[in-house]
Amino acid sequence: MTIQELEKELKSNILDGIYLLYGEETFLLESSLKKMKKLFGEMILGINYIQIDESNVEELISDLETPAFGYEKKLVIVKNSGLFKKEGKRENSKLKELKSKVHKYFSENVEDIREYNIVIFIEQEIEKNDLYKLLDKQGKICSFEKQTPSQIISRLKVIYNAYKVHIDDVTLKYLIESCGTSMQELINESRKLIEFAGENGTVNKNDIDLLCIKEVDAVIFTLTDSLGKKDITNALETLNNLIYNKEPIQKILITLYNHFKKIYFTKLAIEEKKDIATVLNLKPNQMFLASKYKMQAGYFEKEELRNIIEELIMLDKNYKIGLIDLNVGLEAILSKYCSK
């Protein structure tokens, strides 16, 4: 089921059976988990509320078999248990045996489990193993993937409206482009913007520039815009702001390298009439980046992009053997291509 389907179900006060919640969007996952706990009602740890993780996962079956004395059902939350980990060549034989045992128990007792328990598995990443396939048939699986910009805008507008603060879709899109697609980070930044604007106030682009902590990737887009426009003052100012904000200089170098590599691939995709999003392997929540890479590819010649990439590689090599300071090297590269 989708996140929206699960949220709709929880709003209808429906909570039953076995769930598997997983994915990168941890804020929405934790929000759904809180709603599920609230729907369940009174929880007494060890009686009708059981917490399982990797350290005590071997107790899962016995906990499911133990009655919830004085209560109709138990809430069993199994978090990062290892039961859905991808099997490696050297997988712990004990864990492998436990996976098989838990799968067998669930397949043979699923009706009893559902009658006396609410079981919620929570994982960051999952392997679609036998237990996953069983839950796909007998339970409810929800993948909490990063939301698309349009989905994020819809969610954020609800929050801004609740505080009677005005913000339009264009400004929300700029917020997402600047701060990324993590709901937790966007809500953190929105709290600052809402407080700054006040009731009946309006949030605009300048407020975001003034108050929000921007993702390194977003700042690199700004730096590249300045580089493409041969604006050395803004390019160096953007670089120095990153350093001032204690962004590790080596991370800046790596991000710049990866960014120009993507611009180069975009250039090739345009020449060969291939889909940019496919070539860059963009995720559904990153599709808006395709047009940004395309625009920046127009600033540079193909050979120029190759030279920048090679110079960044050489800078990294020379830094590692102590021949140059990274800050000085980056400023030299930016100055060189701003002057062309």
Side-chain angles (χ1 to χ4, degrees):
M1 65 195 322
T2 65
I3 299 172
Q4 289 75 19
E5 287 170 341
L6 176 62
E7 289 173 336
K8 185 178 179 181
E9 195 170 275
L10 296 178
K11 280 183 181 177
S12 301
N13 296 327
I14 298 171
L15 181 69
D16 71 302
I18 307 165
Y19 297 84
L20 169 59
L21 316 179
Y22 72 95
E24 292 180 276
E25 187 41 77
T26 55
F27 176 81
L28 293 180
L29 192 157
E30 290 297 331
S31 295
S32 291
L33 181 60
K34 285 179 184 176
K35 291 173 186 174
M36 294 167 99
K37 286 180 176 180
K38 188 175 180 181
L39 270 179
F40 183 79
E42 183 183 19
M43 298 182 298
I44 300 176
L45 189 62
I47 302 296
N48 74 332
Y49 175 43
I50 306 296
Q51 294 178 316
I52 298 286
D53 58 28
E54 200 165 10
S55 67
N56 64 343
V57 65
E58 68 279 354
E59 299 172 11
L60 174 59
I61 293 174
S62 62
D63 280 326
L64 289 171
E65 291 179 333
T66 304
F69 299 103
Y71 293 90
E72 184 181 348
K73 287 189 176 185
K74 286 197 307 294
L75 176 62
V76 182
I77 296 180
V78 190
K79 194 168 186 178
N80 298 327
S81 63
L83 293 172
F84 298 91
K85 272 186 179 178
K86 188 174 182 178
E87 294 184 12
K89 292 180 180 178
R90 297 183 181 180
E91 183 179 26
N92 185 307
S93 59
K94 188 177 178 182
L95 178 59
K96 193 171 184 178
E97 183 182 338
L98 181 62
K99 284 181 179 179
S100 177
K101 185 178 178 182
V102 170
H103 171 257
K104 185 173 185 292
Y105 178 78
F106 269 75
S107 61
E108 293 176 353
N109 300 278
V110 67
E111 292 304 324
D112 286 341
I113 293 170
R114 290 167 59 91
E115 185 173 353
Y116 299 109
N117 302 275
I118 300 293
V119 184
I120 306 172
F121 290 96
I122 300 169
E123 301 288 336
Q124 290 180 334
E125 296 180 2
I126 55 97
E127 170 73 5
K128 294 184 179 180
N129 56 19
D130 290 339
L131 182 57
Y132 176 95
K133 292 170 185 174
L134 176 66
L135 297 187
D136 196 26
K137 293 178 180 178
Q138 302 290 348
K140 298 175 182 179
I141 296 178
C142 184
S143 173
F144 283 78
E145 300 299 330
K146 288 286 184 71
Q147 299 282 275
T148 64
S150 60
Q151 290 172 324
I152 294 171
I153 287 171
S154 297
R155 289 180 181 277
L156 290 178
K157 287 192 91 167
V158 172
I159 296 171
Y160 282 85
N161 289 338
Y163 286 93
K164 298 180 181 178
V165 171
H166 307 291
I167 185 168
D168 59 33
D169 288 5
V170 174
T171 308
L172 281 170
K173 184 181 177 184
Y174 181 71
L175 176 64
I176 294 165
E177 290 176 358
S178 299
C179 301
T181 55
S182 164
M183 284 300 300
Q184 182 65 72
E185 295 301 323
L186 289 168
I187 288 172
N188 289 344
E189 298 306 323
S190 291
R191 283 172 180 157
K192 291 188 282 187
L193 294 167
I194 288 168
E195 188 172 343
F196 181 75
E199 188 172 328
N200 296 321
T202 300
V203 174
N204 56 47
K205 179 178 176 291
N206 290 336
D207 298 330
I208 294 169
D209 290 335
L210 178 66
L211 298 172
C212 293
I213 299 171
K214 296 186 178 182
E215 270 196 336
V216 179
D217 287 345
V219 179
I220 294 298
F221 268 109
T222 302
L223 189 154
T224 307
D225 276 335
S226 298
L227 192 62
K229 295 170 184 176
K230 312 303 180 190
D231 186 344
I232 184 60
T233 302
N234 276 335
L236 292 180
E237 184 181 344
T238 304
L239 174 64
N240 289 327
N241 283 340
L242 279 171
I243 296 168
Y244 177 78
N245 289 324
K246 303 190 185 306
E247 203 64 58
I249 189 73
Q250 200 153 16
K251 181 181 177 182
I252 297 171
L253 172 62
I254 293 168
T255 308
L256 262 175
Y257 167 76
N258 287 330
H259 186 76
F260 276 99
K261 193 165 69 169
K262 287 177 180 176
I263 295 175
Y264 180 66
F265 288 154
T266 300
K267 197 81 173 175
L268 295 178
I270 294 169
E271 283 186 3
E272 298 172 16
K273 297 182 179 179
K274 292 183 178 179
D275 180 64
I276 295 170
T278 303
V279 170
L280 298 182
N281 196 27
L282 296 178
K283 295 179 181 178
N285 64 305
Q286 299 174 316
M287 298 304 287
F288 67 94
L289 293 174
S291 59
K292 297 187 74 172
Y293 281 118
K294 183 178 180 180
M295 181 190 72
Q296 294 198 335
Y299 291 142
F300 306 94
E301 298 298 326
K302 186 167 66 174
E303 191 62 30
E304 195 175 20
L305 287 168
R306 289 187 63 175
N307 289 339
I308 293 173
I309 292 167
E310 287 171 5
E311 289 200 33
L312 290 171
I313 293 171
M314 188 57 65
L315 173 59
D316 181 55
K317 179 182 176 181
N318 289 334
Y319 162 73
K320 286 175 179 175
I321 60 177
L323 290 180
I324 191 169
D325 177 79
L326 271 186
N327 197 351
V328 172
L330 282 173
E331 287 187 356
I333 291 172
L334 296 183
S335 299
K336 177 180 178 180
Y337 286 94
C338 275
S339 63
K340 287 191 172 187

